[in-house]
């Protein structure tokens, strides 16, 4: 499969002559071709239906076999005007409704088809900036999902290898940012779950065919960042199945447990507040955590998770978060200062002694029974926060510890006794009153507890310029049995890298 720039679908539609001037009943664009002429390709086909009095247009993704196979067909669209010389892109109703149709189809590939949050705003060509980038990204995403679920096996692998590279490209990522901003956060989560469910299904298929080692989907494909006044924000989405295993015991997970562990995704939000302070001889740039949030959420519904899996509560949990903030051009940076790390875990040791005695006078022999008891209480904070410096990079490190023995969870191998001990802290970890997570299973680090600022001093010559910062992160996800009876445990890791900007004025 040759790798080249993905066709500009919107530009092609815009360049088509008015429908009345078509010499045939349909127009086609090759959207994914093969080096070999003997192998089929994928086409986008627009067909006009001249049935009077209501002529309509339909769009379709077609596999170009000897007998063409339609993999996806849009709703029929009726032109909003009777003017037969108007172009498709000039017909606001058709092009806007087509984009909404594409978005709806992508969301319906997910497990939450009836979500109340799926209410798509009006997106039309004339009032939406960068409409062509948004349209092309949405179409490319639909094509990717259609290939996973609908394409014949001899066409699927070749097209997917090419399409994933197009989706990882800068132009597609920019289109994703624009579209997500228009859709809103709730619909963004539904969008990403649809995509990551499809990717999970694809990876499962590759694993069963022993072909997975030749494929990796880069995590940056599912992350993006934006900068605004006083705020840096990174959104991160990654299917758990697409992370690297860094630690695992020798026990195998059974089929039901494997299903539960595979069909989850990591969702993360990183928010940093920054402030620029102009001093007499230098500039101070102060950055602190506003909110760090991570959740591991299921990609399939509860019914399927119960029927085929071990339950939605058998899933990975965040066990370490390492974030690195770095100014990319450092010639004007003078110094960096970090705040203190969080205090060491609190340890409270108390000794309670009790004496029990009994005296029975009627007995000819005086009886006295004495019992002495002593108990020790140890209290450990589950999360430890540290700040360190590497060059001009600030490292922010959250590490989860076992509240019984104080060991790091991500780097430790639990004993068999601890895995079956019903009183271990990681048993019933989403319902216990002493849980280190939210009830949903996520974590939230807020600025009121982890608000120590990082300060860079910058030369005054940087005034009026835009500085570039890199936010790089590593997230460790650990699985320990929650309620399921198993000795299996593992730790996985993923990495991301994003760029944000800061105007010094």
């Amino acid at each position: 499969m040759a790798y080249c720039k993905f066709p500009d679908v919107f530009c092609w539609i815009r360049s088509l002559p008015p429908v009345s001037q078509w010499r045939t009943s349909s127009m086609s664009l090759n959207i994914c071709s093969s080096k070999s002429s003997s192998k089929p390709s994928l086409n986008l086909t627009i067909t006009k239906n001249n049935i009077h009095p209501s002529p309509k247009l339909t769009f379709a993704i077609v596999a170009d076999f000897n007998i063409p196979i339609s993999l996806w067909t849009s709703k029929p669209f009726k032109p909003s005007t009777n003017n037969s010389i108007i172009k498709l892109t000039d017909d606001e109703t058709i092009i806007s409704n087509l984009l909404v149709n594409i978005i709806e189809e992508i969301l319906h590939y997910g497990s939450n088809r009836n979500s109340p949050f799926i209410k798509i705003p009006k997106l039309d060509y004339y009032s939406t900036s960068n409409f062509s980038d948004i349209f092309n990204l949405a179409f490319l995403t639909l094509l990717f999902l259609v290939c996973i679920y609908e394409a014949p096996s001899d066409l699927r692998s070749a097209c997917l290898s090419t399409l994933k590279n197009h989706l990882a490209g800068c132009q597609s990522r920019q289109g994703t940012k624009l579209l997500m901003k228009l859709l809103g956060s709730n619909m963004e989560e539904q969008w990403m779950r649809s995509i990551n469910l499809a990717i999970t299904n694809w990876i499962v298929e590759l694993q069963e065919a022993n072909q997975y080692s030749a494929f990796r989907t880069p995590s940056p494909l599912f992350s993006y960042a934006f900068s605004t006044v006083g705020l840096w924000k990174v959104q991160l989405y990654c299917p758990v199945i697409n992370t690297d295993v860094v630690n695992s015991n020798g026990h195998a997970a059974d089929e039901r447990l494997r299903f539960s562990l595979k069909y989850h995704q990591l969702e993360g939000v990183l928010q940093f507040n920054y402030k620029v302070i102009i001093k007499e001889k230098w500039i101070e740039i102060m950055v602190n955590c506003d909110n760090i949030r991570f959740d591991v959420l299921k990609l399939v519904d509860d019914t399927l998770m119960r029927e085929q899996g071990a339950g939605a509560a058998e899933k990975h949990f965040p066990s370490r978060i390492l974030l690195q903030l770095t100014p990319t051009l450092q010639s004007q940076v003078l110094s960096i200062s970090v705040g203190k790390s969080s205090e060491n875990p609190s340890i409270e040791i108390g000794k309670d002694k009790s004496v029990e005695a009994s005296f029975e006078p009627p007995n000819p022999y005086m009886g006295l029974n004495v019992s002495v008891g002593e108990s020790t209480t140890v209290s450990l904070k589950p999360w430890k926060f540290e700040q360190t410096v590497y060059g001009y990079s600030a490292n922010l490190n959250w590490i989860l510890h076992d509240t019984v023995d104080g060991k790091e969870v991500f780097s430790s191998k639990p004993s068999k006794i601890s895995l079956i001990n019903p009183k271990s802290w990681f048993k019933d970890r989403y319902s216990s009153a002493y849980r280190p997570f939210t009830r949903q299973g996520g974590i939230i680090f807020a600025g009121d507890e982890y608000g120590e600022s990082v300060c860079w001093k910058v030369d005054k010559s940087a005034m009026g310029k835009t500085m570039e910062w890199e936010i790089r992160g590593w997230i460790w996800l650990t699985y320990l049995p929650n309620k399921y009876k198993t000795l299996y445990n593992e730790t996985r890791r993923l990495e991301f890298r994003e760029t944000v900007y800061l105007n010094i004025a």
Side-chain angles (χ1 to χ4, degrees), residues 230-232 271-275 286-291 453:
L231 175 68
W232 291 334
Q271 294 175 181
F272 296 94
N273 293 327
Y274 69 82
K275 182 187 299 184
M286 308 285 290
V287 178
N288 70 282
C289 295
D290 173 67
N291 233 233
S453 297

Side-chain angles (χ1 to χ4, degrees), residues 142-160:
L142 174 65
L143 179 61
F144 183 70
L145 300 188
V146 166
C147 280
I148 289 177
Y149 289 113
E150 315 295 345
S153 58
D154 55 347
L155 181 63
R156 182 186 301 120
S157 61
C159 285
L160 288 177

Side-chain angles (χ1 to χ4, degrees), residues 25 40 71 73 80 89 97 144 160 171 173 195 197 201 227 230 298 312 322 370 378 382 388 395 423 485:
S25 61
L71 305 181
T73 303
S80 61
T89 50
N97 289 346
F144 183 70
L160 288 177
Q171 188 171 3
R173 295 185 66 193
I195 296 174
L197 174 59
N201 285 326
S227 312
K298 64 182 186 299
L322 173 57
V370 179
V378 179
T388 58
N395 297 322
K423 294 185 178 181
K485 294 181 180 180

Side-chain angles (χ1 to χ4, degrees), residues 266 293-296 313 315-321 382-383 398-403 409-410 424-445 475-482:
L266 175 71
R293 305 191 298 269
F294 287 98
D295 281 298
V296 179
K315 61 180 180 178
H316 295 77
F317 56 83
S319 55
R320 183 187 179 188
I321 312 295
W383 285 97
W398 291 264
I399 303 174
L400 179 64
H401 291 77
D402 190 319
T403 55
V409 173
F410 85 98
S424 295
W425 73 264
F426 46 81
K427 294 287 187 178
D428 296 322
R429 56 179 173 263
Y430 306 125
S431 57
S432 169
Y434 305 102
R435 63 184 186 269
F437 312 105
T438 65
R439 184 168 178 79
Q440 185 173 264
I443 54 172
I444 300 175
F445 302 127
I475 299 97
W476 283 259
L477 300 173
T478 297
Y479 171 72
L480 297 170
N482 183 37

Side-chain angles (χ1 to χ4, degrees), residues 145-309:
L145 300 188
V146 166
C147 280
I148 289 177
Y149 289 113
E150 315 295 345
S153 58
D154 55 347
L155 181 63
R156 182 186 301 120
S157 61
C159 285
L160 288 177
S161 296
T162 298
L163 293 176
K164 76 178 183 68
N165 291 328
H166 290 310
L167 278 170
C170 295
Q171 188 171 3
S172 293
R173 295 185 66 193
Q174 182 61 29
T176 300
K177 293 181 184 181
L178 296 171
L179 179 58
M180 295 303 102
K181 183 177 180 180
L182 290 171
L183 294 182
S185 180
N186 292 112
M187 200 175 301
E188 172 184 326
E189 292 184 359
Q190 302 301 324
W191 174 281
M192 295 308 305
R193 290 174 193 176
S194 294
I195 296 174
N196 285 343
L197 174 59
I199 288 176
T200 299
N201 285 326
W202 180 25
I203 294 177
V204 169
E205 179 183 326
L206 293 174
Q207 288 177 337
E208 292 175 351
N210 296 319
Q211 297 177 351
Y212 180 60
S213 59
F215 161 80
R216 296 300 291 163
T217 299
S219 292
L221 173 60
F222 308 108
S223 67
Y224 69 91
F226 69 82
S227 312
T228 185
V229 179
L231 175 68
W232 291 334
K233 184 177 180 181
V234 177
Q235 295 275 163
L236 172 69
Y237 302 90
C238 186
V240 171
I241 196 175
N242 198 38
T243 55
D244 297 318
V245 178
V246 295
N247 189 5
S248 178
N249 65 357
H251 295 273
D254 61 36
E255 185 176 349
R256 297 183 70 88
L257 180 58
R258 287 200 303 270
F259 184 91
S260 289
L261 296 183
K262 288 176 180 178
Y263 283 92
H264 281 89
Q265 79 165 359
L266 175 71
E267 299 182 7
V269 178
L270 314 175
Q271 294 175 181
F272 296 94
N273 293 327
Y274 69 82
K275 182 187 299 184
V276 178
I277 303 173
I278 308 299
K279 299 287 186 177
E280 182 180 353
K281 296 183 179 180
W282 63 74
I283 301 170
E284 290 185 355
I285 299 173
M286 308 285 290
V287 178
N288 70 282
C289 295
D290 173 67
N291 233 233
I292 309 295
R293 305 191 298 269
F294 287 98
D295 281 298
V296 179
L297 302 173
K298 64 182 186 299
L299 292 171
V300 296
D301 57 34
D302 289 327
T303 301
L304 191 59
M305 192 64 80
R306 286 194 304 267
E307 291 176 351
Q308 298 190 30

